[in-house]
Amino acid sequence: EVQLVESGGGLVQPGGSLRLSCAASGFTFSSYDMHWVRQATGKGLEWVSAIGTAGDTYYPGSVKGRFTISRENAKNSLYLQMNSLRAGDTAVYYCARGLRSSFWYFDLWGRGTLVTVSS
Amino acid sequence: DIQLTQSPSFLSASVGDRVTITCRASQGISSYLAWYQQKPGKAPKLLIYAASTLQSGVPSRFSGSGSGTEFTLTISSLQPEDFATYYCQQLNSYPLALTFGGGTKVEIK
């Protein structure tokens, strides 16, 4: 089955760190660009990071310098290292696959993992 | 940064209605626009990309149009399973930035 499964979410104090993982299955993971997208409760969607098949990475200004996306193709896994976390980072974090022909669209999503930043 | 503004933010409609949602970009984005559907507690689902290309497996009652700064998502005959929140999303290629509209919630009248 083609799927993405996130893990690693939880409660963390402001200023703390957390590492999210995303396990991919059912497709050739190494051939796809991958993304993280987040959604605060009751709010809209926010793109958080992207990584290309060659390992090139991209971030919006809101997380640049604090978050690091990486991938391990041998393990079919995507990661998001989040440092210096703030209350505003509280959200469900989704792992998403970039469309093969146009990597900036997301054609496969995981169920998400909840990150709560609170003291 | 390019902003996307969706309208309306809330829409009440009946089964069988024709529904149109608009997404306006603050600058021209050619056809670099997608539409997603999200149901409560679920991940978003890609419906339309490149402004008008229907994603595989998506019913043909969904269609997209537009280019430049104004785009529309149309549901030709609303079905019970279509009640959801819809988001548009655009690409700004340099620097790379992917942004979403604020969403349109479609509810049953």
Side-chain angles (χ1 to χ4, degrees):
Chain A
E1 182 185 359
V2 176
Q3 64 177 355
L4 299 169
V5 179
E6 303 91 338
S7 61
L11 175 65
V12 61
Q13 292 189 338
S17 299
L18 207 58
R19 188 195 197 206
L20 306 183
S21 299
C22 171
S25 59
F27 64 97
T28 305
F29 177 74
S30 60
S31 296
Y32 288 84
D33 299 300
M34 298 296 297
H35 303 261
W36 288 97
V37 178
R38 69 185 180 185
Q39 185 173 37
T41 301
K43 302 297 184 182
L45 299 162
E46 181 185 15
W47 169 72
V48 171
S49 59
I51 186 166
T53 56
D56 44 316
T57 58
Y58 307 89
Y59 307 91
S62 58
V63 306
K64 196 168 187 177
R66 300 189 300 123
F67 289 11
T68 302
I69 188 172
S70 61
R71 65 191 301 161
E72 192 167 356
N73 290 337
K75 293 187 175 181
N76 292 329
S77 292
L78 179 72
Y79 306 102
L80 184 67
Q81 177 67 44
M82 304 185 295
N83 299 330
S84 303
L85 283 161
R86 309 164 179 166
D89 296 319
T90 295
V92 172
Y93 284 72
Y94 295 102
C95 168
R97 186 179 76 176
L99 190 64
R100 191 75 183 270
S101 60
S102 308
F103 74 92
W104 50 90
Y105 305 126
F106 317 117
D107 72 337
L108 178 67
W109 298 66
R111 291 187 173 184
T113 187
L114 177 63
V115 172
T116 303
V117 184
S118 174
S119 55
Chain B
D1 290 0
I2 298 176
Q3 310 297 323
L4 293 178
T5 303
Q6 286 185 236
S7 60
S9 55
F10 176 85
L11 187 159
S12 181
S14 302
V15 172
D17 283 353
R18 181 181 182 88
V19 168
T20 299
I21 299 169
T22 298
C23 180
R24 290 186 174 87
S26 58
Q27 300 175 40
I29 57 171
S30 185
S31 297
Y32 294 116
L33 190 103
W35 291 96
Y36 298 84
Q37 176 193 69
Q38 187 179 33
K39 297 181 180 179
K42 301 293 187 182
K45 174 186 174 183
L46 178 64
L47 299 175
I48 302 280
Y49 64 94
S52 61
T53 302
L54 193 67
Q55 170 67 347
S56 176
V58 174
S60 59
R61 64 181 180 272
F62 292 92
S63 64
S65 65
S67 67
T69 61
E70 187 153 335
F71 301 85
T72 59
L73 172 70
T74 300
I75 309 173
S76 60
S77 178
L78 199 65
Q79 297 302 300
E81 60 267 31
D82 300 336
F83 292 96
T85 299
Y86 294 83
Y87 294 94
C88 56
Q89 176 239 329
Q90 65 93 20
L91 161 72
N92 185 45
S93 57
Y94 188 79
L96 183 68
L98 309 177
T99 56
F100 292 87
T104 296
K105 187 173 185 179
V106 177
E107 289 199 341
I108 302 172
K109 182 182 282 185

